[in-house]
Structure formats: structure tokens, C-alpha cells
Amino acid sequence: MPELQESWVDDPNELARRDSRDTLRALATAGAQMREGLTFAAEAPLERLGDERPRSILVAAAGSSQIVGDVLRVLAESSSSVPVAGRTNVPLPGFVGPLDLVIAVSLSGRAPGPLAIATEAARRGAALLSVGADDSPLADVTRQARGVHIGIGRGRDSSRTSVWSLLTPVLVAAGRLGVVDLPEEALQEASRALDTKAEECRPSSESFVNPAKLAAATLAPTVPMALGDGPLMGVAAARASAVLARTARVPATYGVLPDHASQVVACFDGPFTAGGGQGTSSPRIDDIFADPFLDGPAQPRLGLLMLRDAPAAEPTPSSALADAVAAEADEAGCKVVESVAAQAHPLARLAGQLAMVDYIATYLAIGTGIDPSVSPHVANLRDRTRGR
């Protein structure tokens, strides 16, 4: 596995050359995206969605936009009885009807799945909210159904770096309907958390103090797993798995405590950590005499990215389990990176962790010689499937 080249992530000229579409700059606008989204939502005729809670909410989103449904679901679970489900494409579940709300999200407004779901939801008479480009088929479908379409700002060309342009209007609408408990101050606090993370992880902050660069350097030579210490951080872990694959081109699994503790810890007995799969509790010892030209490259170690919620005043079973997993990982020779959320409203805590994993994946890509925004194989796949 490659080592992260510090000069590639610290030198401004190298960053500009290796990050061809300014991914880092786009990520740094997250707080501004959120504030702009609040403005757009305030100007939208949300009263058309009614004044009562819907029976259920279905979020139609594909690819990187699926994070919208994940965030809404985890916030709604703790504050209301309205179930939130997600779909990427038709068929629309049979239960969806006039008492339900369908939210369709697509940056371009042309994603086939969300567009098809919005069309079917309109036919069934469900309330319809969409977020995406103003001049798009999705906006047209929503307006024809007398739903609410909320546009996005200019310069948004990737859903991976425009999460908060898509998510913020959805959160405002859900708050207005009483599905989530999100006062104005909570939304502003989240935007400040995004600004803080952008400052901490800015490109001009050198590798020895930048938390995202440090984490990327630790994870670079590993096969990584992301682990959230509860449902809220589980959303960040799922996001980490997605962006490590899509941005850094690293296949990464993820899990959520307590359910996935055993399957994560079981990997510590495998070929990437303890004794090369010998079932021993002793950490793997690399052969210092190995010749990478004669013996081949060294086998990568397992990496564990632990995304932890803000610590409670008193220890909890969840925090104790997370501590135990981290200790076991360390003893097994697994490289461990911990990112701990700051004390704040749940949305702000989650916002900071989502921003962190985005920065980690981006620096990991750049530092190992990968352009984070350009994938030849993804482009080839689109060419092969165009028109099908």
C-alpha cells in the first residue's frame, strides 16, 4: 500500500496540480452552503406541504445524495414518530399515498431514480418536495404537481461536495413539519461547526497539525474500516466508507456499535493484523529484512477509523464498548485513528464528523497520487451505459 507523500498535501503548487477541480475549496464552502440553503428554504412556499406531520417520509436520492436521507432518518428517530425511509429508484413502495411526503433530491435534477419516484409520487397524490437545479426535469415535475421545489446555489457541480446545499432545505422543511427538532440556533450552530472544521483542515495547515492530513497519513498504508460508536456516528461511518471508495479509491467497510462490534473485532484475527491469520493475539511483526523487489510489496495492515460522539458526563455502555474495541485493535497491531465530535447539538456534532471524513478521503487521494475528482473508470462506465 502507498505511503502518503506529505509534500503533495502541503505544497500549494502540488495541491493545485493534483486537485484539478478544487475539491478542497469546494469542501470548505460547506458552512456557506448551509447558510445559503437556509435562505433558499426561507423563500420557498413550504406552507404547500401542509401544517401537520406526514404519515411517513420517503427520501428519493442516489449516489452521494443518499446522505440526505441518512441524516434525516437518524435525526427523526430521536424526535418524532414519523418513519423515514430511503429509495434510489422505482418502484415506489405501495404504502405511499396522499398522507405521505416524498422528498426527491438530485443536484442536477436529472438523476433517473429520484425523477421517476417524484413522477410516481405526484401521480399518487403524495406531498412532494424536491431539491436540485432549478432548470431541470425534477423541478418541472414538482411544480406541475403543485409541490415545492428548492433550488441550489451556483457553482455546485458535484453532489459529493454539495451535501449541505442539498440537505439544508430538507432539514428546514422537516423541522417546520415537526419531524425533527431543529430550532434556528441548531442550524446556525451546525454551519459554524462546518466553518470550524474547514479552518482546522485547511490546505495551508501543515501535516503535523492538520487532523485530516494526520488521519490520512495513518490510514494510507492500510485496508481501512470505519466504525461509528452509535446511530449518529454510524451515519458518518457510512459516509466515510463511501468517500474513501469514491474519492480515495480505497475499498472500505463500515459498522455501527453495538451491533457490529463482533464482526469488526473478528477481523483482528485475520491476515491484515495478528500473526498473518494465525489466530494468535500477538501483533503482527513486519520482516525488517524483507526485500520489496524480491519478496513483493509488504502486505497492508488493517486500519480502523473510529468516529466517536461527544463524551458524556458519565461513562456509558456505548463509550465503554468503543474503548474496548479501540484497545483490542491497538493490541492486535491495527492502525487506529479516532475522531471525536465536539460538544454541541446532534446536527452540529454530525456535521463536524461528516466534514472530517470528507477531508480525510480527499487528502488521502491527493497524498497517494490520485485526483480526488476524476476517475477514468467511472467516466468509462458512464460511456458504456449511456443510452441504456
Side-chain angles (χ1 to χ4, degrees), residues 247-316:
T247 301
R249 322 295 197 265
V250 175
T253 61
Y254 78 94
V256 185
L257 294 180
D259 294 347
H260 300 130
S262 295
Q263 73 183 45
V264 169
V265 172
C267 294
F268 302 162
D269 298 322
F272 299 119
T273 49
Q278 300 303 311
T280 173
S281 60
S282 300
R284 186 185 75 178
I285 300 175
D286 293 328
D287 183 359
I288 61 173
F289 298 106
D291 187 323
F293 296 100
L294 297 178
D295 302 324
Q299 185 159 291
R301 287 191 176 186
L302 194 66
L304 182 62
L305 173 59
M306 294 200 68
L307 298 160
R308 305 193 60 168
D309 209 345
E314 297 291 335
T316 64

Side-chain angles (χ1 to χ4, degrees), residues 62-365:
S64 298
S65 301
Q66 288 178 267
I67 187 69
V68 173
D70 294 341
V71 173
L72 181 59
R73 174 185 50 77
V74 76
L75 293 177
E77 284 176 350
S78 62
S79 58
S80 81
S81 58
V82 178
V84 178
R87 297 284 286 196
T88 60
N89 210 330
V90 288
L92 187 64
F95 66 80
V96 175
L99 298 179
D100 306 294
L101 170 64
V102 171
I103 301 174
V105 179
S106 169
L107 190 74
S108 66
R110 290 172 168 77
L115 182 57
I117 289 177
T119 301
E120 177 61 15
R123 189 187 69 79
R124 294 192 197 176
L128 183 59
L129 168 67
S130 61
V131 181
D134 268 324
D135 183 16
S136 68
L138 180 60
D140 293 340
V141 166
T142 303
R143 289 166 182 146
Q144 289 169 12
R146 295 194 58 77
V148 178
H149 179 80
I150 302 177
I152 54 174
R154 296 180 179 179
R156 310 284 185 255
D157 57 5
S158 169
S159 56
R160 271 181 293 152
T161 57
S162 304
V163 168
W164 295 95
S165 290
L166 299 171
L167 177 57
T168 304
V170 172
L171 294 178
V172 172
R176 184 182 181 279
L177 292 170
V179 175
V180 293
D181 181 16
L182 283 177
E184 175 71 18
E185 176 53 33
L187 294 163
Q188 294 293 345
E189 186 179 13
S191 73
R192 292 192 295 271
L194 292 168
D195 290 339
T196 298
K197 197 60 65 175
E199 175 65 19
E200 291 176 357
C201 302
R202 67 192 186 279
S204 61
S205 174
E206 294 183 325
S207 293
F208 60 89
V209 294
N210 186 313
K213 292 180 182 180
L214 286 168
T218 301
L219 294 174
T222 74
V223 175
M225 296 188 298
L227 184 64
D229 69 355
L232 190 68
M233 294 299 106
V235 173
R239 173 71 175 183
S241 174
V243 294
L244 283 169
R246 185 64 178 84
T247 301
R249 322 295 197 265
V250 175
T253 61
Y254 78 94
V256 185
L257 294 180
D259 294 347
H260 300 130
S262 295
Q263 73 183 45
V264 169
V265 172
C267 294
F268 302 162
D269 298 322
F272 299 119
T273 49
Q278 300 303 311
T280 173
S281 60
S282 300
R284 186 185 75 178
I285 300 175
D286 293 328
D287 183 359
I288 61 173
F289 298 106
D291 187 323
F293 296 100
L294 297 178
D295 302 324
Q299 185 159 291
R301 287 191 176 186
L302 194 66
L304 182 62
L305 173 59
M306 294 200 68
L307 298 160
R308 305 193 60 168
D309 209 345
E314 297 291 335
T316 64
S318 177
S319 64
L321 179 58
D323 289 341
V325 171
E328 193 68 20
D330 186 62
E331 288 183 6
C334 178
K335 295 197 172 214
V336 180
V337 171
E338 289 196 26
S339 177
V340 182
Q343 293 285 356
H345 184 278
L347 177 60
R349 303 202 306 267
L350 179 56
Q353 294 287 55
L354 291 175
M356 174 59 83
V357 300
D358 282 344
Y359 279 111
I360 291 172
T362 304
Y363 283 124
L364 180 53

